[in-house]
Structure formats: C-alpha cells, structure tokens
Amino acid sequence: MSIKAKQVAGVTTLVVVVVFALSAYHLATLARLSFQDTASRGQMLAQAVFQRARDVVGQGGADPYAALRADGGIRSILESSSAYSRNVTYAAIVNKDGVAIAHSFASLEDLPLVEQEDFAPLANGRAADQFRAVYSDRMFEIRQTMLADDKEFGVIRIGVSTLLVRDELRTALRNAAGAVVVALIVSSLFAMLLSQWMLRPIHVIQSGLSRLGRGELDVTLDLKEQEFRDLGSSFEAVSAQLSALGRGGGGADPAAVESRPGGATDLESVMDNLEDAVALFSPRGELIFCNKAMSALQPRALDTLPADNPIKQVVERTLAGRKSQGPISLAGLEPGDTAERLLVTHAIEDTSGRFLGAMLVARNIGYLSQVHSTLNYSRKLAALGRLMAGVAHEVKNPLNAMTIHLELLKQKLLRQPIAAGGAGLADSAPRQAQGVPGVSRDESRIADPGLTAAPDITKHVDIIAKEIRHLDEVLNGFLKFARPDELKLQPVHLATLISDIRTSVAPEAQRRNIAMKVDCPDMLPEINADQGMLSQALLNLALNACQAMPDGGTLKLSCHTTSRRRVEIDVEDTGVGIPPENLGRIFDLYFTTKEKGSGIGLSMVYRIVQLHDGEVEVQSTPGRGTRFRLIFRQA
C-alpha cells in the first residue's frame, strides 16, 4: 500500500472512529438522561401520592385502606399518572401483602400486583445495563414505602416502561449512522487533498534524486515547509560536494544545527495554587510531597497514622492493589475538623508501567451542606406562600369580626344602668367626658371605672381588645415576611445608603452612649438592589446592634469590594454577642431572646438578602460582639 493510501486510510479511520465514539457517547448520554428523567418524574408522582395518602391516613378512620381507595384526590393523581412521564404505565398503592388498594386502572384493584424490577439502580447504572434494559422488553417499578406508627402498611408502586426510550434511541441511531457515512465521505475527500499537499516534499526530493542520478550537479530543492528545510540544506550540501568532487575541488563544511534550551515548569507552584488538597506517597507509604491545602490536614507517613485513619486505609488499598480508590465522602479527618471532604486516590505509573506510588486528593465539599440548607429554606418559604391565602381568610377575617363584635359589646355595656344608682351610663358618660382633651365620648365611657356598672367586665374587654390587636400585628408581620413587596432593582450607591443609615441610627446610639464608625469609600462600585428593602435590612441590623450594647460600645458600618466582582457590607458591634447554641436559629421566624422581641427582624434581613441573590454570614463571640456580613454582586 502506498503512503498516500495509508494516509487516506488512517485519516478516514480516525475520523470514523471519532464520530462513532461521539455517537456512542451521545446514545449513552441520551439513554442516561431519559432514564434519569423518567426516574425523577416517577419519584415526583410517588411523592405526590405519598403526600396525599399521608393526609388521608392522618385524618383517622377505622380502615385506612378503605379511606385511600375512596379518596378522590388519590384517585385523580393515579389516573393522571401518565401525564408525569410518557414512560409511566401505571401507578398503584398496594398493601403489605402485595394487593392493589388503589390503582390507576380500577379493574386491577383488590388483585395481587406482580412486583417488577426496581428502576432506581438502573437509572444511575452503567450504560451497558441501560441498553440491555431498553431492548429486553422488561417492566420496572419505582417504589416508595408508606409508614403508619413507624410500621410499613403499604407501598406506592409506579410502573415504568422503556419502549419509548427504545424509539428515541432508534431515531438517534439512524442519525448517528448517517453522520458516520457523511463523515466517511468527507474525510476521504479531505484526506486525499491533505495527502497530496503533505506528499509534495517527497515528490520534490524524488525529482531531485532523479536529476542527480542523471548526472546533473548543483541540484537545489524547492522545499518551503519548515520541517523539510534541514533536509533540503543537507541535500544541497551533498549536491555541492558531488559537484566539487566532479571538478576536483575540496569538500564543503557541514551545516550546523542549533539547539534550543527547554523550559521547566514549576510544578510545585502549580500544585500549591490548587484548592484541592494533594499529597504523593511512595510505594512504601512515605509522604513524598503535599501542597499547602493538604498541609492544613497535617499529613504524615502511613506507618505513623492509627489503623482506623481513613487516609491510611484508602492509600494502603491503592498501594496494595495498584488501583484508584474513591470517591469516598468523609468528615472530621483531623481532631477539631468538621468539614466534609471527598477522598480520591490514583495509582501512579511511569511510561514503562513501573509503579511509582499513590496520589491522594481531598476536596472540601462542605459548601454543599450550605446549598442544601438554602434549598430547604427556600422550600419552606414557598410552602408559606401557598398557605397565605388560606391564612388571610381563616385568621384575618375572624379577627376583624371579633373586633367589630367587641365594640358592639362595649356599647351594650354602656347602656346598662348603674347598679347603685338609677342613672344609666349613657346619661353620665357625656358629662364626664366634657372638658377632657383628646378623650372621645366612647373612650371616656370605658376608661372611667366610676361610670361602669361592672368594672371587671370592661377590664376584661380591654384585655381582649389588646390581645386581638397584638395578634393582628403578629399576623401582619407574618404576611409581610412571607409576601414581601416586589423588588424594584436599581443601582444603589452604598456610601449614600450607609450615610442615611447612620443618620437614622444616631439618636438611638447617642441615647445608649454608643460610638459609630463608618468606613464606606465614595468610589465603591454600585450594586443592583431595592433601596428600600436593603435600607430596612441594614437598619434592622444596626438597631439590633445598639440593643446588644446596653452599656455603650462601638458600632461599625463598613463596605468594601471582594473577589468575583462582589461587594461586602459589614455591621459590627462590641455587644454581648450571641451564644453558640443560638447561632443556627437566629434567622428562624419568631425566634428571639428578647423579652419584647417579635422574632421577625433577622428573618426579614435573611429574606431580603435572599431575594437579592446575596449571602449573609454571621460571626459572634459572647461578651465581645457580633459581625453580620452581607455579600452582593456588583452592578
């Protein structure tokens, strides 16, 4: 086979293999995504049935199975199961004996439901297993157990079919086959043109050798390619020598070849700049190298670590089996270290296959718990939002009715005659109210205990009215927290905002003998925010800081830029601080340690920061003070 044919075959084969590999990867990805989507939608359906079933069973009743079967909500969810995913074939609730209590097909109720293979391991399994499942015509199930009094009393089973996944794969496979054919044709044409261009220097050299063979001297080669210039120079030198010999002359000097010094990469500098902790161990378990992130974990030789140390165990398995291990999620690798880390080890070999040791990589994934916490908080707020309409109707309206009827009760009491005399309150009250500025006729009737026939009754009525007003204030605060006003984002100049906060807080600070410090540069970048909401959040934090310093102190308001185009706003005091056991609850709605606190202020701060897609951090030391840090993106 000629060089040209080999080159065409090589390029074509390479392109076809790449296209085939990408197509296979595409098919595997398509299957995985389809399986995961089906699993997710099936779990969503199971969760919807579970929530409804829990509400039905929680209402009590002698026969929970009969209640589940008779509930219209469960029936509606089961019958609409196919709307959750095209691959869902049925949904049912079965008892612990496997008999269908409620089924998307009513004709199958009270009949045993054959248990199918679990779909969850397949959804996250290997591509090969997924392809086998697609072409095996098997049924699968997504299950969720239902408990009553910590005992299993039923299972939610969602039937899943892979026939539609097979249709999608067939369509994708036809497209992939077409892509392979097109790639084969295009790559063949391209390879022929490429080979013609790349083989030109060989044709030039072949022509020059043929001319030398015919006795022509001083032959030069037209080689413009950088890779062949040295060869052309050598050819011309040989041609010159042959020409000199033919003329009886001397030889020519050989050409010199320059060498370029190679640069070395500072590997240690690169490793030290990694966020992941990296360490290298020799085949005997000795520590060869560790970067700065790993130094914080105080790594040592394996023989100095206790037998139950997770680092020692995972590295020893790698050294013994010469195979990579992990990822393994662990927390508390060192005393006092509570961060969760992901450990992975890699076996290291040189180009000849000789085993050189193990590389340990530890990645801090503690931030995932923060993300999980934020998601949970968001879910709670979403649930509160859905309940607001019912709360407003069920609580707000009765409070208004209670207030109206309480006022009517007061008026009826005022019309009752005085027990000791013959005059009624309606006659005496106006006379008592005359000449008293700021007191209305009705107020004087209730406020003056000498005019009432039963002083205890009016006292209790006043207490009830006061408590109703307090309950109404609590409800308004709850509604304001769960349904904040719509954001009106605009560029906010922080120096001006902090100055306004200082002016508002100054009277309270002076009254408590608190010194205020402000550090907010005029040239600080603006942020996109709702100025009213942000001002409310900062004012709440500043007033809370003043209340935390009953004997005076220092309140500092500062702001500065930080990495990733973000701006930080700090509110720091030197007050009593927050006990460690309360730090995790300070943003909970209605949680407060103050005698007359509402427990809404810090929750509103957290909510406002969250609406701005920002972050809030708090650091506190009892007896030394507290610092709240709000982090926002630059405009």
Side-chain angles (χ1 to χ4, degrees), residues 155-293:
V155 179
I156 300 171
R157 289 161 59 176
I158 311 298
V160 176
S161 173
T162 59
L163 292 178
L164 293 177
V165 178
R166 183 192 304 177
D167 293 339
E168 293 179 1
L169 292 181
R170 284 177 177 172
T171 302
L173 188 59
R174 286 195 295 268
N175 295 337
V180 170
V181 173
V182 172
L184 180 62
I185 297 173
V186 173
S187 61
S188 298
L189 296 175
F190 177 76
M192 286 188 288
L193 296 175
L194 182 64
S195 63
Q196 188 70 25
W197 175 71
M198 293 188 65
L199 294 178
R200 174 189 168 278
I202 297 179
H203 296 319
V204 173
I205 295 173
Q206 184 180 10
S207 174
L209 291 175
S210 299
R211 291 171 60 189
L212 281 177
R214 291 195 298 267
E216 297 183 19
L217 302 178
D218 296 330
V219 177
T220 59
L221 301 180
D222 182 19
L223 296 175
K224 299 179 181 179
E225 292 78 1
Q226 180 67 37
E227 294 79 1
F228 289 94
R229 284 184 180 178
D230 292 339
L231 179 59
S233 300
S234 300
F235 187 91
E236 292 174 1
V238 172
S239 177
Q241 289 179 356
L242 292 176
S243 177
L245 289 174
R247 295 192 302 266
D253 294 333
V257 179
E258 298 180 357
S259 60
R260 297 180 180 177
T265 303
D266 191 355
L267 181 60
E268 291 189 5
S269 176
V270 174
M271 300 291 281
D272 282 341
N273 289 326
L274 292 177
E275 293 185 4
D276 294 341
V278 179
L280 299 178
F281 293 89
S282 69
R284 295 188 298 274
E286 299 171 346
L287 180 63
I288 301 175
F289 166 80
C290 67
N291 63 353
K292 290 181 179 179

Side-chain angles (χ1 to χ4, degrees), residues 415-428 431 450-454:
R415 297 190 185 99
Q416 297 299 321
I418 299 178
L425 290 176
D427 297 330
S428 60
R431 293 194 296 272
L451 298 178
T452 180

Side-chain angles (χ1 to χ4, degrees), residues 23-335:
S23 300
Y25 177 76
H26 172 69
L27 292 174
T29 302
L30 181 63
R32 184 180 72 254
L33 293 178
S34 180
F35 273 63
Q36 291 178 351
D37 179 71
T38 300
S40 176
R41 292 176 180 272
Q43 290 170 358
M44 186 185 306
L45 173 59
Q47 188 64 26
V49 177
F50 176 82
Q51 294 291 343
R52 182 60 185 176
R54 184 177 63 180
D55 294 341
V56 172
V57 175
Q59 294 174 359
D63 187 357
Y65 294 147
L68 292 173
R69 182 182 292 109
D71 184 68
I74 289 181
R75 174 66 58 189
S76 176
I77 295 174
L78 294 179
E79 291 178 353
S80 62
S81 58
S82 60
Y84 282 79
S85 175
R86 297 182 304 167
N87 299 327
V88 172
T89 57
Y90 66 85
I93 301 177
V94 302
N95 61 18
K96 57 185 178 181
D97 297 325
V99 177
I101 301 169
H103 200 288
S104 54
F105 300 100
S107 60
L108 298 180
E109 293 180 353
D110 296 326
L111 297 177
L113 187 61
V114 178
E115 185 172 342
Q116 305 294 340
E117 186 177 347
D118 191 6
F119 187 72
L122 184 64
N124 299 311
R126 300 179 303 173
D129 296 334
Q130 293 176 347
F131 279 116
R132 282 196 295 269
V134 167
Y135 290 95
S136 62
D137 293 332
R138 287 182 291 170
M139 288 290 296
F140 299 89
E141 285 185 344
I142 297 172
R143 308 186 187 96
Q144 181 163 342
T145 303
M146 297 189 298
L147 303 177
D149 296 330
D150 295 332
K151 294 183 180 180
E152 179 181 344
F153 81 98
V155 179
I156 300 171
R157 289 161 59 176
I158 311 298
V160 176
S161 173
T162 59
L163 292 178
L164 293 177
V165 178
R166 183 192 304 177
D167 293 339
E168 293 179 1
L169 292 181
R170 284 177 177 172
T171 302
L173 188 59
R174 286 195 295 268
N175 295 337
V180 170
V181 173
V182 172
L184 180 62
I185 297 173
V186 173
S187 61
S188 298
L189 296 175
F190 177 76
M192 286 188 288
L193 296 175
L194 182 64
S195 63
Q196 188 70 25
W197 175 71
M198 293 188 65
L199 294 178
R200 174 189 168 278
I202 297 179
H203 296 319
V204 173
I205 295 173
Q206 184 180 10
S207 174
L209 291 175
S210 299
R211 291 171 60 189
L212 281 177
R214 291 195 298 267
E216 297 183 19
L217 302 178
D218 296 330
V219 177
T220 59
L221 301 180
D222 182 19
L223 296 175
K224 299 179 181 179
E225 292 78 1
Q226 180 67 37
E227 294 79 1
F228 289 94
R229 284 184 180 178
D230 292 339
L231 179 59
S233 300
S234 300
F235 187 91
E236 292 174 1
V238 172
S239 177
Q241 289 179 356
L242 292 176
S243 177
L245 289 174
R247 295 192 302 266
D253 294 333
V257 179
E258 298 180 357
S259 60
R260 297 180 180 177
T265 303
D266 191 355
L267 181 60
E268 291 189 5
S269 176
V270 174
M271 300 291 281
D272 282 341
N273 289 326
L274 292 177
E275 293 185 4
D276 294 341
V278 179
L280 299 178
F281 293 89
S282 69
R284 295 188 298 274
E286 299 171 346
L287 180 63
I288 301 175
F289 166 80
C290 67
N291 63 353
K292 290 181 179 179
M294 182 63 77
S295 299
L297 299 178
Q298 300 178 355
R300 301 183 296 273
L302 295 183
D303 56 2
T304 63
L305 297 174
D308 59 347
N309 186 280
I311 291 180
K312 180 176 182 178
Q313 293 174 354
V314 70
V315 174
E316 283 184 342
R317 286 199 299 267
T318 302
L319 295 177
R322 298 188 178 184
K323 293 182 178 180
S324 300
Q325 300 288 330
I328 302 173
S329 179
L330 295 171
L333 296 180
E334 291 292 331

Side-chain angles (χ1 to χ4, degrees), residues 370-397:
Q370 299 177 3
V371 175
H372 183 69
S373 176
T374 302
L375 290 176
N376 286 338
Y377 194 83
S378 300
R379 294 190 186 102
K380 293 178 182 178
L381 293 178
L384 287 177
R386 291 193 296 268
L387 291 174
M388 283 306 96
V391 170
H393 178 73
E394 299 296 335
V395 180
K396 196 88 171 141
N397 291 343

Side-chain angles (χ1 to χ4, degrees), residues 30 242 282 310 337 351 359 399 426 557 561 587:
L30 181 63
L242 292 176
S282 69
D337 176 26
T351 55
M359 179 174 67
L399 285 179
L557 305 175
T561 59
F587 295 116

